[in-house]
Amino acid sequence: MRASDSGGAGEDPLDEGGTSILRQPMAVWATAGASVVAFMGIGLVDPILPSIAKGLHASNSQVSLLFTSYFLITAVAMLVTGFVSSRIGGRKTLLAGLALVVVFAALSGTSSSVGELVGFRAGWGLGNALFVSTSLAVIVGAAAGGSAAAILLYESALGLGMACGPLLGAVLGDMKWRYPFFGTAVLMAIGFIPITAFLKEQPRPARKTSVLDPIKALGHGGLASAAVSAFFYNYAFFTVLAFTPFVLDMSPYKSGGVFFAWGVLLAVFSVLVAPRVQERFGSLRVLGGSLVLLAADLLVLGYGNHTTAVVCTILSGAFIGLNNTVFTELALGVSDAPRPVASAGYNFVRWFAAAAAPFLAPKIEEWTDAHIPFVVAALAALVGAGIVAVRRRALTLRAHELEPRHATEDGVSAFAN
């Protein structure tokens, strides 16, 4: 859904209805601040993966399970987040997610083996799924002046978290690999306090969500096509995020700087560039072209020298930002399922690839060489583009189902959900 399709062109989300993005209730700022930390947790371990492997005497494939356990639980949790929030409310769901992140992030820092750390990351993934799947809905519901400014604030928190996570991991991890986990626990504990103090419970949906509703929603051909295409795309995405740090083999500070630049590009292209190129070329053309360019970028990354690999890693953030935006719009707009239900079904499928890529990429390297994991990731991106091309009719957006741009008050954002 392009901005112009929904009548949003020319509107300024910075000053919607006379209410600036900066003039928001404390509940909104509290939730947005905690969202920054939640998104920081995703890329936090990137620059310290080699340090963790050394500290726990683990192989690259074993350490990569930190991502696999995290996203495997996230995928399964997508079936229950709506079930939980529709019964206990958004505020309690947020706080439960925060509490789980605090506990399991702290436990991660105490790990004495890679097995323990992988298990604690799984618990962290459950907490993050509960928090992230609910936070945008809470921000929009509590915001002053309409949804657009609140969505922009949330997307800014997303981009800031994705960019700063590797930096936090680098600064604290350079001292000791355990410190980033303790740092995250402390920051989330601090975030728990203002949410408890300022956020009031919001109205619950009229109809409670069933665990099976997201699975049933995948019976729609368009939604299923978007989910399967996104599955292959996410394999490519998380090959970059989880495997590239081993290939770059840089100090935590340098690796953190690379992924900070990557996160900045991801945020800029998701929030600012995507709506403009969609308006000019159309969503499916942008998506197909971006997937092909991502595949080319991965091939160059895999076979180029070290400097080329660094440049291509950063550049991939631009294509990932575009893809995140358009895929989420497709998930929300191709079926007549309620948006939270459609999003849950879509994410249930695609997050399995985020769990698979961190495990398979190092294994493929062990079986072959360091180039082939990027070839496989490039092929996955091309398969995703092929599905978009073949299923163009099924992937036509139903314009009246979407709010302006790529996020809605139901708690769906370009990256998080």
Side-chain angles (χ1 to χ4, degrees):
M1 179 61 157
R2 302 184 297 275
S4 59
D5 292 334
S6 58
E11 294 181 4
D12 184 5
L14 291 172
D15 191 18
E16 183 180 337
T19 301
S20 168
I21 185 176
L22 301 178
R23 294 195 294 270
Q24 296 293 338
M26 282 301 300
V28 173
W29 287 113
T31 307
S35 297
V36 172
V37 182
F39 290 119
M40 287 171 64
I42 294 175
L44 180 81
V45 299
D46 258 22
I48 58 171
L49 286 175
S51 299
I52 295 173
K54 183 178 180 180
L56 294 178
H57 308 290
S59 66
N60 291 353
S61 58
Q62 287 176 317
V63 172
S64 293
L65 290 174
L66 297 179
F67 285 99
T68 297
S69 63
Y70 183 95
F71 287 113
L72 184 62
I73 295 301
T74 297
V76 176
M78 285 299 159
L79 298 180
V80 302
T81 52
F83 176 90
V84 172
S85 63
S86 66
R87 284 163 174 78
I88 69 173
R91 180 178 182 272
K92 291 180 180 177
T93 303
L94 273 184
L95 294 175
L98 278 172
L100 287 172
V101 171
V102 170
V103 170
F104 284 104
L107 288 174
S108 295
T110 67
S111 301
S112 58
S113 69
V114 70
E116 285 186 4
L117 184 53
V118 168
F120 292 144
R121 278 284 285 182
W124 186 342
L126 174 60
N128 220 46
L130 289 171
F131 178 85
V132 168
S133 65
T134 312
S135 55
L136 179 57
V138 169
I139 287 177
V140 173
S147 63
I151 289 168
L152 181 59
L153 180 63
Y154 181 86
E155 292 287 0
S156 300
L158 185 156
L160 183 62
M162 288 298 297
C164 292
L167 282 184
L168 177 67
V171 172
L172 297 180
D174 191 57
M175 294 182 281
K176 196 170 187 179
W177 69 262
R178 299 179 186 274
Y179 290 170
F181 299 111
F182 293 135
T184 300
V186 170
L187 289 173
M188 288 302 258
I190 293 172
F192 191 97
I193 297 171
I195 289 179
T196 303
F198 297 111
L199 181 63
K200 298 179 180 179
E201 188 57 83
Q202 296 174 322
R204 301 179 190 179
R207 177 183 176 275
K208 294 180 180 180
T209 301
S210 164
V211 173
L212 294 179
D213 284 348
I215 301 296
K216 294 176 181 177
L218 290 170
H220 185 279
L223 182 60
S225 298
V228 174
S229 180
F231 174 90
F232 288 102
Y233 154 63
N234 269 257
Y235 184 92
F237 175 0
F238 284 93
T239 296
V240 174
L241 191 62
F243 180 66
T244 302
F246 295 116
V247 175
L248 297 180
D249 193 23
M250 304 167 77
S251 69
Y253 274 115
K254 290 182 179 179
S255 183
V258 168
F259 280 94
F260 172 75
W262 171 86
V264 169
L265 274 187
L266 186 153
V268 168
F269 274 75
S270 176
V271 176
L272 301 178
V273 177
R276 288 168 172 77
V277 296
Q278 284 177 277
E279 183 175 0
R280 180 169 181 178
F281 300 107
S283 294
L284 296 185
R285 287 183 180 177
V286 170
L287 182 59
S290 184
L291 286 169
V292 171
L293 290 173
L294 177 61
D297 181 79
L298 288 169
L299 288 176
V300 177
L301 193 164
Y303 283 94
N305 59 28
H306 189 267
T307 301
T308 301
V310 169
V311 172
C312 288
T313 298
I314 295 172
L315 183 60
S316 70
F319 306 129
I320 289 169
L322 291 174
N323 292 333
N324 286 344
T325 294
V326 183
F327 267 122
T328 300
E329 293 180 359
L330 291 177
L332 294 178
V334 296
S335 75
D336 56 0
R339 287 170 291 190
V341 173
S343 174
Y346 158 78
N347 285 291
F348 173 71
V349 173
R350 74 168 182 133
W351 283 124
F352 277 109
F359 174 74
L360 290 177
K363 287 293 185 183
I364 293 171
E365 180 194 25
E366 293 173 8
W367 299 331
T368 57
D369 58 49
H371 306 302
I372 304 303
F374 294 103
V375 174
V376 174
L379 290 173
L382 290 176
V383 171
I387 293 172
V388 171
V390 172
R391 299 288 293 169
R392 292 186 68 87
R393 287 179 177 267
L395 290 171
T396 301
L397 291 170
R398 303 172 74 248
H400 64 281
E401 290 294 328
L402 290 176
E403 296 291 335
R405 290 257 350 267
H406 57 284
T408 79
E409 65 269 29
D410 294 303
V412 185
S413 78
F415 180 83
N417 294 319

